[in-house]
Amino acid sequence: MVKFSKELEGQLIPEWRDAYLSYRELKRHIKKIKLSRLPKHPRQDMNGDYSLSIFEPVRLAAWKICDKFRNSDSQTDVIQLRRSKSLEDGEDQEVYETDLSQLFSQEDEVKLLVRIFFEKLDEEHNKINQFYKERESEVVEKAEILKKQLQFLMDNKQVLSHIRLQKNSPSSPNFGSSPPSWSSVSPPRSSNYSESSIELAENLSHDQISESTDEVIAALDQRNSSTRNYSETKTKLTKQAKPKMGVKIDIPAETPTRVIAALTSSLWEDLVKISPKKEYCRTGDQLINRKKVQSAEKMIRGAYVELYRVLGLLKAYSSMNMMAFTKILKKFDKVSNQHASVNYLQAVKASPFISSDKVVKLMDEVESIFIKHFASNDRKKAMKFLRPQHEKKASHMITFFVGLFTGCFVSLFTIYAILAHLSRMFSPPTEIAYMDGVYPVFSVFALLSLHLFMYGCNLFMWKSKRINYNFIFGFSPNTSLKYRDAFLICTTLMTIVVGAMVVHLLLRASGVSPGQVDAIPAILLLFFLALLICPLDIFYRTTRYCFIRIIRNIFFSPFYKVVLVDFFMADQLTSQIPLLRQMESAACYFLEGSFRTHHYETCRNGRLFKDLSYVISFMPYYWRAMQCARRWFDSNDVEHLANMGKYVSAMVAAGARLTYDHKNHDHHSIWFPVVIVTSVVATVYQCYWDFVKDWGLLKQNSKNSWLRDDLILKNKNIYYVSIALNVVLRVAWVESVLKLNVNDVQQRLLDFVLASLEVIRRGHWNFYRLENEHLNNVGNYRAVKEVPLPFHEMDSDG
């Protein structure tokens, strides 16, 4: 049977951990009470040591029975939980306080410990109530805002519906059932990187708007000619066409198309004419169209999903804390032989976090709204959005296959090492062909597999330390990779690659043409590329397509809105520059046909190849710098510009080292001091940012010396070792400058080892980066993502 403390630890919301009942601390108080109630008359021997006689167990049992009978007639109302008002932050707060006057008649150590226990319990009780009321008021306020947003959405859809009917039958007097609500339609002319000014091709001229309004009024004239309310209706519609208070639609420009369109439209707003093919509605100087309304509907739907999720979290928070109160008070009754839990639990049940029914009612309301407006009255469809079911994977089967492929990988690698030695693969006649053609492809897969292995280790540590990585990355728990999945992909990949390496050696040893045998790495590379983009639902399709989408967002920086998973992946790419360089070599080798002719001058000394090496070395840093620029543009936070400077300095250092490498490492050239200075500056910049910004460490006034106040790992020494290790691995560039006196094969292997160390450093960095992000979420109680809302009220000059 699982202890409740472990059950609570496993089910609590990580970001709200500090707001839960401190169950373990209260258990320690109860243990002190239990120890204080034990008889204190053991026999003392001559040496001062205490020992028990053989009758001591009988005496102890008799004492417990007598104590139980002494308290058997005690009343159940031995404590009273009183409510009072206290002024805190200028507001009246309801505070609970326990009266212990009837619990014990004598003043002794036991009563003192009991008093301390109930003071702590009252403190926790008030903390939970206060937290619950704050979160409850937030969701109630958010629900009211979403109701207004939904009403604006319905008004805009009604307007578009009338315009569409008018276009289809302009002469029909009954083209609509009621006049459109023009006042709800007024997005801004332009906004900060927003789509509000994107669709200029859909604007109507002023004459068209007047004509459209006149047609609507004419239709109403025909319908209401026999009624007394004709003039009132006409006047009302005319007024609605020029509202004093409008609503703008602000759709964030998160894609390159929207960004480019927003910039173009803001420049040519007064010159571009409106396309009559798209559906629109315009009031004064502001417009809407069907595409905007669809985007707004999607945003509001997402906001309702997040609202429902936080309501579910509040409901679980309430029930889990109630269970914790019940368990801890039962333990207290058992230890103290009192009946204190009855009154206290009654007061707890009357507390806001249990007695309030706002959350339950709001959940029902959100369900009904979602079913009606976003699921076409299909409850089953709505529940797929609101309550996604988590798939249960056969973890034992995954573990079995991980072990199987690991064994295969070790066996095949052993066979490969033996065959390479017997066939003299690394001897001077054949080493050039092998290291220039075959080695780059296999090293690419090796570095990729190592990175996947480190990611699997990260997933394992994040899960074991209750770091909510799915929420931080924005992944769905239903489809995101688990650590076993990462290990399975890693071992499968390396087993296939080493198997291909063994086949390659066997074919070369059997006398097959080298031109045909050396095509095996290219076939392997094409196979994995085809698997990556395969549309079939096999081999983690959701993860593969998510990876492609993230790479697309990085490639088109800064046109895509930057979220954490995007710049996290871009940081991984900065540690895989050697992998990208190896891919460049492999591409040149196969596209140039060197695997058939075995002429390697083009891929070693060609001008184009050298120029591309600069581009590839710069690209990851450039992408990351553009992401920082986009984040600064969106948030106006200067810290992002400082972060961009870090990647610019890394680009300068990488360019200097590459130029120095092309100069054959001449220590007497001017590039040697340039490399030293730029590399030292970049390294100091990166280390500072790693420790202070990314990891949140090196706090001078922290209670943990030079770390931070909140630490997830219990052993503080691990953080100090991690800081030292990160610094050591950051200065691995020294070897590329000094260049040890080794042959070509040994230099390739040394470069591979250094590239592997950088991947290991990045995996090590990943844990602390997400730990810091998780602690920031915990500090702000962020358990659900914030969804921007599309409609904003604004004053209009019309």
Side-chain angles (χ1 to χ4, degrees), residues 527-582:
F527 169 76
F528 280 111
L529 287 175
L531 180 62
L532 179 64
I533 62 175
C534 177
L536 300 179
D537 193 7
I538 56 173
F539 204 71
Y540 303 101
R541 183 181 67 175
T542 305
T543 301
R544 289 188 283 111
Y545 277 37
C546 178
F547 173 76
I548 294 173
R549 185 170 62 252
I550 294 171
I551 294 297
R552 177 205 63 188
N553 295 352
I554 294 172
F555 188 82
F556 288 103
S557 299
F559 298 112
Y560 279 99
K561 183 180 179 181
V562 182
V563 295
L564 190 142
V565 69
D566 293 337
F567 65 75
F568 186 85
M569 178 61 74
D571 278 326
Q572 310 305 305
L573 292 178
T574 60
S575 293
Q576 286 288 17
I577 291 176
L579 181 146
L580 298 176
R581 293 287 306 277
Q582 296 289 9

Side-chain angles (χ1 to χ4, degrees), residues 19-59:
Y20 278 82
L21 183 77
S22 300
Y23 188 79
R24 291 182 184 272
E25 186 175 351
L26 290 169
K27 273 182 67 177
R28 286 195 290 268
H29 284 293
I30 290 178
K31 188 174 182 181
K32 290 179 182 178
I33 296 172
K34 181 179 180 181
L35 293 175
S36 68
R37 289 177 59 82
L38 292 176
K40 300 180 180 179
H41 303 290
R43 229 173 28 172
Q44 189 175 13
D45 61 15
M46 296 181 63
N47 295 325
D49 296 330
Y50 289 90
S51 59
L52 298 175
S53 68
I54 59 174
F55 299 105
E56 197 63 31
V58 179
R59 186 185 299 115

Side-chain angles (χ1 to χ4, degrees), residues 612-627:
L612 281 176
S613 66
Y614 282 97
V615 175
I616 290 174
S617 299
F618 289 164
M619 274 197 311
Y621 298 121
Y622 166 79
W623 289 329
R624 194 65 188 87
M626 289 299 99
Q627 287 180 334

Side-chain angles (χ1 to χ4, degrees), residues 252-437:
E254 299 179 352
T255 62
T257 311
R258 291 178 180 175
V259 173
I260 294 172
L263 294 174
T264 305
S265 63
S266 63
L267 293 173
W268 302 99
E269 184 174 4
D270 297 327
L271 301 177
V272 179
K273 291 187 176 181
I274 310 307
S275 172
K277 295 182 180 180
K278 296 188 179 181
E279 296 181 356
Y280 53 80
C281 178
R282 180 179 176 120
T283 60
D285 288 333
Q286 294 157 3
L287 61 100
I288 61 168
N289 55 64
R290 176 162 295 278
K291 188 179 291 186
K292 284 185 182 180
V293 172
Q294 288 174 346
S295 299
E297 182 175 8
K298 186 176 180 181
M299 291 170 68
I300 294 173
R301 183 185 67 188
Y304 266 109
V305 170
E306 293 303 316
L307 175 63
Y308 190 84
R309 183 167 179 263
V310 75
L311 289 170
L313 295 178
L314 268 176
K315 188 177 178 182
Y317 171 82
S318 172
S319 60
M320 207 66 199
N321 277 298
M322 184 64 213
M323 192 182 301
F325 272 111
T326 304
K327 294 283 186 181
I328 202 68
L329 285 168
K330 282 185 177 179
K331 284 183 178 293
F332 173 79
D333 285 352
K334 184 178 179 181
V335 168
S336 63
N337 286 326
Q338 300 290 334
H339 300 282
S341 62
V342 177
N343 276 2
Y344 205 101
L345 286 177
Q346 286 178 355
V348 169
K349 289 176 182 178
S351 301
F353 83 96
I354 293 295
S355 61
S356 176
D357 60 350
K358 290 181 182 179
V359 169
V360 176
K361 288 182 178 179
L362 203 52
M363 287 185 75
D364 295 337
E365 186 179 346
V366 170
E367 283 185 15
S368 61
I369 290 173
F370 201 92
I371 292 170
K372 179 180 179 181
H373 295 286
F374 303 107
S376 304
N377 291 318
D378 186 347
R379 181 177 179 81
K380 188 176 181 181
K381 179 181 177 182
M383 290 302 105
K384 286 183 179 179
F385 284 99
L386 297 176
R387 299 177 186 172
Q389 298 295 322
H390 299 292
E391 295 179 0
K392 292 184 178 180
K393 298 182 179 180
S395 57
H396 58 284
M397 290 296 295
I398 296 177
T399 305
F400 168 75
F401 281 113
V402 169
L404 176 65
F405 285 122
T406 302
C408 293
F409 164 70
V410 172
S411 302
L412 288 171
F413 190 79
T414 304
I415 295 172
Y416 169 78
I418 295 172
L419 290 175
H421 177 72
L422 294 176
S423 60
R424 298 181 179 274
M425 184 56 63
F426 297 106
S427 59
T430 57
E431 70 175 10
I432 296 177
Y434 191 80
M435 298 305 291
D436 284 351

